Structures are given as C-alpha cells and as structure tokens.
Amino acid sequence: MEALQITLANGDVTAPEKLRHYFEAVFAAEDSGEEFAVRLSSVWRIGYGRKADAVAALRKSFVEGVDFEVLRQLPENPTGGRPEEVYSLTTSCLEYFVVRANREVFDVYRNCRKAVKNLLRGSLPDFSDPVASARAWADAEESKQLALAQASQAVAQLERARPKIEFADAVAIAANSVPMGAAAKHLKLPGIGRNKLFRMLRADKVLQANNEPYQHHVDAGLFEVQTQHYKAGEKGQRIVGTTRVTGKGLQWLTKRYKQAA
C-alpha cells in the first residue's frame, strides 16, 4: 500500500499523488520537445537540505548546456537585488541528481516512467505477424533514410551559409557596440582610461566583479557581452565574455559621468 506522505530531505512533506502529477507534466514537456523540462526550484528539496548545496552539487557533477541550463531572471524590483539564476534540468539529470536520493520519490518516478512506456508499447505493431513486421520495418527504415537526408541537407546549407553568418554577426557587433577602451576615449574624462572606467563601473554596481554588466543593464540596451572561445592548454576550450558599450550606453555614460564631473 502506498504511503500517504513522503518526507523530503529538507523536512518538507509531500504526497505521492502530487509528485506523480508533477512527473507526468515533466514527461509531457519532454515529449513535446522541451530539452530542459525540469525546474531545479521544484525538485532540490528531494535530496538536499538547502538550494545552495543542490546548486553546488549540480555544477560539480553535471555539465552546463548538456545536463542543465542556467537563465538569469530579473527580480520583481528592477532597481534592486541581483538577478536570480534559474536552473533547468534534463529528465536524466533529474533522475540521477535528486530523485534517486529518496527511495519513495524514486518509486513514484519509476512508476510514472513505466506508465509512459506502456502507452508507447500500445502503439507498436504485432510482431507475430510477419507482414505487419515487414511493413513496420520498411516504414521505420524509410523514415530513418529521410531523416538522414534532411539532416545532411541542413548541415550542407549551414556550412555554405557559415561565412555569411559569421560576417553578419561581426558587423552587428561592430555597429552596435564598442569596447570599453573606446568608450573611455569617447567620454574624454581627465585621467579616466579603460581600467579606471572599469573600476568606476564596478564601484557603482553597473558591472559585476568579472567586469560583465548586471543583467538589467543589458536588458536596457546599455551593454552587450561578446563571447569568445580560446584554447586553454590541456583544459580544452574556454569561453570568455567581453563587455562592450552600445550607442545608447555611451549616451547614458556621458550623461551619468560628465554631469558628475
């Protein structure tokens, strides 16, 4: 007989039926094509006492962009507070990251998975009938060959368009923003060069400690972050963000600092 309540790692109590509804919604989102269908905020309590511990474990054992993604969400008050990082997981990451930490929760999860598989089995052909089996095999092979042909065509089109795409991206960045050194020259403030401007913007909470702008300034169109890839020896490639100032941002900086000078 199924227990009426399940105690989670942080002490919260939930009902199996509530978990079942949540997992069914997750599987439905996954079937619709959503890759990162699970919100960490909804499931971290299963295996962890604090969200911070769950985030640390997630980043240590799983790969961003493959097992999970992070989106930055502005707080309700746009003038205060840091943007919240919203973590979303794949269903496989969900299972190995938190669900297996609680046997009762895992039983609910596994039963939901079984129900989904049973639904899929109901749509399979009767393999005891050789004619039906041959027809199903032919249909599957035809679909496979069509998918491969479409994928090859898409890759070829992307390769042909790549130089144009890269050129368009470069022009867009150059037209819409300038590096911080050029922004400092534009301001023409006595003794203020690139590095001092960075320090001023960090002190004024415009930029973060890594010199990237806070998200609400990006959303306002004042700054852009240009991502660059470079080789880091045995560690492979690394991605670095470079802060650039937009035309609107130059006007904003001029108004902010020239009036204060």
Side-chain angles (χ1 to χ4, degrees):
M1 182 176 179
E2 189 179 59
L4 297 178
Q5 291 183 326
I6 296 175
T7 302
L8 305 181
N10 75 328
D12 288 351
V13 176
T14 189
E17 192 64 24
K18 185 176 180 181
L19 286 171
R20 182 177 293 108
H21 287 318
Y22 177 77
F23 290 143
E24 287 172 351
V26 166
F27 298 147
E30 182 186 37
D31 290 341
S32 71
E34 186 175 348
E35 183 178 7
F36 302 100
V38 186
R39 303 298 175 261
L40 178 63
S41 58
S42 301
V43 298
W44 64 264
R45 298 168 184 82
I46 295 172
Y48 298 88
R50 298 190 312 138
K51 183 179 179 181
D53 295 337
V55 170
L58 177 67
R59 286 196 168 277
K60 179 180 179 181
S61 303
F62 295 88
V63 180
E64 183 174 352
V66 177
D67 302 304
F68 68 94
E69 69 173 3
V70 185
L71 299 177
R72 306 189 80 191
Q73 179 174 297
L74 286 174
E76 293 184 2
N77 180 5
T79 61
R82 298 183 62 182
E84 178 189 1
E85 290 187 331
V86 179
Y87 290 79
S88 300
L89 323 176
T90 62
T91 52
S92 59
C93 180
L94 163 71
E95 179 175 332
Y96 287 95
F97 177 53
V98 289
V99 170
R100 288 176 180 268
N102 187 309
R103 182 54 188 262
E104 290 178 307
V105 174
F106 182 58
D107 285 342
V108 175
Y109 177 88
R110 185 173 54 186
N111 288 336
C112 288
R113 271 296 190 200
K114 284 182 180 178
V116 171
K117 288 182 179 179
N118 288 336
L119 287 175
L120 292 175
R121 287 196 190 100
S123 63
L124 293 177
D126 180 7
F127 287 105
S128 63
D129 181 348
V131 176
S133 298
R135 185 179 297 114
W137 181 87
D139 290 344
E141 188 65 20
E142 182 179 351
S143 298
K144 177 183 176 182
Q145 294 301 323
L146 178 60
L148 287 173
Q150 291 174 339
S152 298
Q153 183 179 5
V155 169
Q157 290 175 343
L158 180 60
E159 289 300 321
R160 288 195 298 269
R162 189 180 303 279
K164 296 180 181 180
I165 294 171
E166 291 177 349
F167 175 76
D169 288 345
V171 170
I173 290 171
N176 294 332
S177 61
V178 297
M180 196 62 68
K185 291 180 180 178
H186 174 83
L187 289 175
K188 297 179 181 178
L189 294 174
I192 303 298
R194 173 183 176 277
N195 292 339
K196 284 191 176 180
L197 182 56
F198 268 124
R199 286 199 294 270
M200 288 168 55
L201 293 174
R202 289 196 301 268
D204 290 344
K205 303 300 182 182
V206 177
L207 301 182
Q208 304 174 68
N210 63 356
N211 285 335
E212 290 188 11
Y214 286 98
Q215 187 62 39
H216 57 277
H217 290 307
V218 175
D219 293 338
L222 305 180
F223 299 92
E224 294 179 345
V225 178
Q226 179 185 3
T227 57
Q228 296 176 315
H229 300 254
Y230 72 94
K231 291 184 178 179
E234 296 180 353
K235 296 181 179 179
Q237 285 197 342
R238 292 191 63 186
I239 301 175
V240 175
T242 302
T243 298
R244 298 174 65 94
V245 187
T246 67
K248 182 179 178 181
L250 287 173
Q251 295 177 358
W252 183 78
L253 289 174
T254 300
K255 183 177 179 181
R256 179 184 181 101
Y257 290 109
K258 283 207 169 183
Q259 287 182 353

